Amino acid sequence: MQTNHWYLSNEVQLTDLMARDIAPFWSQQVTQGSFVGDGNIRVNYACCIPQHAERSVLISSGRIESLLKYKEVIYELYRNGFAVFILDHRGQGLSGRMRKNAQQGYVDHFSQYVGDMCRFIDEVVIPKQCGELNLLCHSMGSAIGALTVLQRPELFNRVVFCSPMFGIRPALPDWLGRVLITVNNLYNRLVPGASGYFFGQRDYCPVAFGDNPLTASEIRYKLFRTEYSEHPEIQLGGVTAQWLAAASAAMWEVEQCASEIKVPVLAFCAEQDRVVDNQRQARVIAGMPHAEYVHIAGARHELLIESDSVREPVMRRIFDFFSAEL
């Protein structure tokens, strides 16, 4: 069923809405928990199920993100009758970290993210699922989501990819990327006092709104940064060479296997994205047999926390897509 009557929040009222409605909703309706993933890493999650829910949505978030950043999106999904499930990927958010410096973005292989996702689905989502399960992915979460679909194609009814990380910027030749990762690994092992980060990366450091490449919505950006200021345990800095190597392998696998993703897909491309490689993204989506690729003019990377003029049409398309009959 398609409708123009979806509930959506807006920038003008968002500050009041957060205090008046979303904060009590979060404390009263959202259940949080955790499980232990491979390697003895704690994985935190949240879920909420409205009365008479007919469909479910699993959110796969992007790099550095936490489920706490998704309060507005989760509230909207809940108000529109969707059961909502979200986990913090290992190494970020409220989940356990894998490096001595907890600020460093690290994973051995993206298969670890996928393993956590599948365990979450089997142990938490399926027992509470209402109707068909849809997958909503953002950025890095799209690579994780695509790999999960490839591993468990029977799980999902429909999939949305927002600014999918099927390529990253700057878009370097594969050989040059491998050289830089190898050199960085040697540098971090051999140079006393080396940070452990990939070249140019550092601990979490908030960027002023005027300099941010993520969103044109000042209020949503402020709320995002305030959440990370009030909960320093969810802060995450830059990436390590190992994360880049794992991401490169994951993106290559998604591109090579795109034709095997046969569920209906709706993918959004942010025109002004400075984080992911839109050219490679378009190539990957074109390889998916039942995918619609939507170009969002004027949008920056964070479509789910963008300004209303960009975000509202995207959210309506998502709600319509997840509610449509196959």
Side-chain angles (χ1 to χ4, degrees):
M1 177 182 68
Q2 294 189 337
T3 177
N4 292 320
H5 301 291
W6 298 113
Y7 169 83
L8 288 173
S9 55
N10 62 72
E11 292 172 289
V12 173
Q13 300 174 336
L14 188 54
T15 301
D16 289 340
L17 181 70
M18 277 288 184
R20 185 186 68 245
D21 295 334
I22 296 181
F25 156 77
W26 193 261
S27 63
Q28 296 166 16
Q29 303 297 332
V30 176
T31 299
Q32 296 191 57
S34 67
F35 60 88
V36 178
D38 289 345
N40 202 36
I41 299 298
R42 186 190 73 258
V43 179
N44 283 53
Y45 65 83
C47 60
C48 55
I49 304 172
Q51 287 187 340
H52 313 301
E54 296 181 354
R55 293 174 176 85
S56 298
V57 175
L58 170 61
I59 299 173
S60 179
S61 57
R63 203 192 82 78
I64 86 160
E65 293 188 328
S66 168
L67 56 89
L68 298 178
K69 183 182 174 184
Y70 279 76
K71 290 178 179 179
E72 181 186 8
V73 173
I74 293 170
Y75 181 71
E76 288 172 323
L77 285 163
Y78 181 92
R79 284 284 303 266
N80 286 304
F82 292 89
V84 189
F85 303 87
I86 184 171
L87 78 165
D88 277 357
H89 301 301
R90 62 173 53 216
Q92 64 183 51
L94 296 167
S95 291
R97 309 295 172 98
M98 294 172 286
R99 301 282 282 188
K100 184 176 180 180
N101 179 355
Q103 291 271 319
Q104 292 181 349
Y106 177 89
V107 73
D108 292 317
H109 307 282
F110 269 47
S111 61
Q112 293 174 315
Y113 293 138
V114 175
D116 293 337
M117 183 80 79
C118 290
R119 184 165 182 177
F120 179 51
I121 292 168
D122 290 338
E123 296 183 4
V124 179
V125 177
I126 290 177
K128 299 180 179 182
Q129 183 179 329
C130 300
E132 297 151 331
L133 179 62
N134 301 288
L135 182 61
L136 173 59
C137 308
H138 168 63
S139 195
M140 180 188 81
S142 297
I144 298 168
L147 292 172
T148 305
V149 173
L150 288 167
Q151 183 166 314
R152 301 280 296 276
E154 78 287 354
L155 287 175
F156 301 107
N157 175 55
R158 291 170 180 263
V159 179
V160 170
F161 296 127
C162 294
S163 305
M165 191 194 80
F166 297 151
I168 56 178
R169 298 186 65 183
L172 301 174
D174 288 343
W175 68 268
L176 180 56
R178 289 194 295 271
V179 168
L180 290 172
I181 289 169
T182 299
V183 169
N184 184 257
N185 275 327
L186 288 171
Y187 177 83
N188 281 318
R189 283 205 302 266
L190 299 177
V191 175
S195 69
Y197 282 111
F198 190 71
F199 300 123
Q201 304 286 293
R202 59 177 177 173
D203 285 355
Y204 177 82
C205 182
V207 176
F209 171 72
D211 299 324
N212 96 88
L214 302 177
T215 175
S217 173
E218 186 167 6
I219 179 58
R220 289 191 173 101
Y221 187 76
K222 179 181 177 181
L223 288 168
F224 152 47
R225 289 302 183 189
T226 298
E227 200 75 63
Y228 280 62
S229 174
E230 293 178 351
H231 301 277
E233 69 274 18
I234 69 176
Q235 294 175 5
L236 189 70
V239 300
T240 59
Q242 181 55 42
W243 185 91
L244 282 173
S248 178
M251 292 184 294
W252 182 89
E253 182 178 352
V254 171
E255 182 166 6
Q256 296 302 306
C257 300
S259 63
E260 298 175 31
I261 297 178
K262 294 181 174 151
V263 298
V265 167
L266 177 62
F268 293 100
C269 166
E271 180 188 43
Q272 297 181 11
D273 206 319
R274 289 162 50 190
V275 178
V276 299
D277 177 4
N278 284 349
Q279 289 187 333
R280 187 176 181 189
Q281 175 191 102
R283 188 168 71 241
V284 174
I285 297 297
M288 299 178 185
H290 304 294
E292 180 181 2
Y293 191 50
V294 181
H295 183 267
I296 308 298
R300 302 186 196 179
H301 182 64
E302 295 267 13
L303 291 169
L304 299 178
I305 63 166
E306 253 289 12
S307 58
D308 286 348
S309 61
V310 169
R311 182 181 187 271
E312 286 187 5
V314 169
M315 295 303 295
R316 292 188 190 282
R317 288 288 297 270
I318 290 171
F319 289 135
D320 286 344
F321 182 69
F322 283 159
S323 300
E325 299 296 335
L326 287 174

